[in-house]
Amino acid sequence: MLPRAWRWFVIACMVFFVINVLLIIISVVVSSFGTGWFTGWLPEQFTPKWYGEAWKEFQLQHVLLVTVEITLAVVAISLGVGVPAAYALARLQFKGKSLIMLLFLVPLMVPPITYGIPLATVLYQTGAGGTMWGVILANLVPSVPFAVLVMTPFIEQIDPRLESAARVFGASSLTTFWRILVPLLMPGILAAGILVLIRTISMFELTFLTAGPDSQTLIVALYYSMFAAGVRAQQSVDAMAVIYMLTTMTGLLIALRFVDPSQLVGRVKSQKV
């Protein structure tokens, strides 16, 4: 009797949570189209003009371009560094390996603000703070370890005898990596890249501490639109929030289109010989 009651309690809590999240999203979306919302369940009138106002007022074309450039750079560098590092950790046995794995966990477990302030101080002292490269370097601190930790299990599931067989037939280490490992690791690389992409788009603390006027991502621009000095229509801010939600959800939908999270490990296993 108790397990059944507990199961229904958990389901009720989940439904309550989902309904609250949906109501918050719906209220923001409705507000972004409303002309005035002071009484009643719905605004007096609906109009899409607030999206045009937000696009002009917050210079969203520039902000979105900067967000894409920073995100793609972080993803490319994280994978370029993380995949070889994960391969070394998965294949090599050496003293201090557990300590290194623990160090990779630190930026993921510690709140970004705790190391973001001294990191931003160093970047500003070196002249990188306030620039796009400063934002990229700051986001790489948690993104590279994240890519390493995601890729390591994928590499561990690939039989090392495949690499040995390739070397027996005269393939070099580089050829073995590109012709054997990369095709087998493609599901993991794609999954790691998408997760790093979503993480970078939603990373506020490090980007806020290191971004300048011309290197703000969408989430930082959204923050400034809420708390910067001046008077602006709440509907414009809500329209900007909807654009941010759509940007993030588009990335997630693309990820789910090409990668099934529940089958990532199974796809790697099925490709083993």
Side-chain angles (χ1 to χ4, degrees):
M1 181 66 183
L2 183 59
R4 184 177 181 181
W6 174 253
R7 181 175 60 185
W8 282 108
F9 174 76
V10 172
I11 294 175
C13 290
M14 293 175 59
V15 171
F16 178 77
F17 173 78
V18 171
I19 291 176
N20 276 273
V21 172
L22 289 177
L23 289 176
I24 293 173
I25 295 175
I26 291 172
S27 65
V28 174
V29 173
V30 172
S31 177
S32 68
F33 287 99
T35 55
W37 196 356
F38 303 102
T39 59
W41 288 94
L42 294 174
E44 298 174 0
Q45 293 179 348
F46 292 92
T47 176
K49 72 173 184 178
W50 301 115
Y51 287 87
E53 295 290 336
W55 189 270
K56 296 177 182 178
E57 181 179 2
F58 305 123
Q59 299 179 345
L60 289 185
Q61 182 177 359
H62 173 72
V63 172
L64 289 173
L65 179 61
V66 170
T67 303
V68 171
E69 291 176 349
I70 291 176
T71 301
L72 293 181
V74 171
V75 171
I77 298 174
S78 297
L79 293 179
V81 176
V83 174
Y87 177 81
L89 290 173
R91 289 289 187 258
L92 301 180
Q93 298 295 330
F94 53 89
K95 293 183 179 180
K97 181 178 178 180
S98 300
L99 178 61
I100 292 178
M101 294 296 294
L102 179 62
L103 291 176
F104 278 124
L105 285 172
V106 171
L108 304 179
M109 299 178 64
V110 176
I113 195 67
T114 57
Y115 60 86
I117 294 177
L119 176 61
T121 302
V122 172
L123 290 175
Y124 277 103
Q125 289 176 346
T126 58
T131 66
M132 187 177 298
W133 279 108
V135 177
I136 293 172
L137 291 173
N139 278 275
L140 286 175
V141 174
S143 296
V144 171
F146 188 73
V148 171
L149 294 176
V150 171
M151 289 302 305
T152 301
F154 285 91
I155 297 174
E156 290 176 342
Q157 293 179 75
I158 296 178
D159 196 337
R161 290 177 295 181
L162 290 174
E163 303 169 51
S164 301
R167 294 190 181 95
V168 168
F169 286 100
S172 64
S173 298
L174 186 60
T175 301
T176 301
F177 180 80
W178 284 108
R179 300 293 295 273
I180 304 298
L181 290 178
V182 170
L184 293 175
L185 290 175
M186 192 53 64
I189 293 174
L190 185 59
I194 291 171
L195 292 175
V196 170
L197 184 145
I198 299 301
R199 184 182 179 88
T200 304
I201 292 177
S202 60
M203 176 58 70
F204 171 75
E205 296 93 335
L206 298 179
T207 306
F208 174 76
L209 291 172
T210 57
D214 297 326
S215 56
Q216 296 177 6
T217 59
L218 187 56
I219 189 172
V220 175
L222 178 60
Y223 172 83
Y224 278 120
S225 69
M226 285 290 296
F227 297 102
V231 179
R232 53 184 54 86
Q234 179 63 38
Q235 292 91 336
S236 296
V237 179
D238 290 335
M240 189 175 180
V242 173
I243 293 174
Y244 173 72
M245 286 191 295
L246 290 176
T247 303
T248 307
M249 291 302 298
T250 300
L252 290 175
L253 291 176
I254 293 174
L256 295 175
R257 173 64 179 82
F258 293 101
V259 179
D260 185 353
S262 64
Q263 297 179 355
L264 282 175
V265 177
R267 289 178 63 181
V268 174
K269 287 183 177 180
S270 65
Q271 293 177 354
K272 292 170 60 177
V273 177

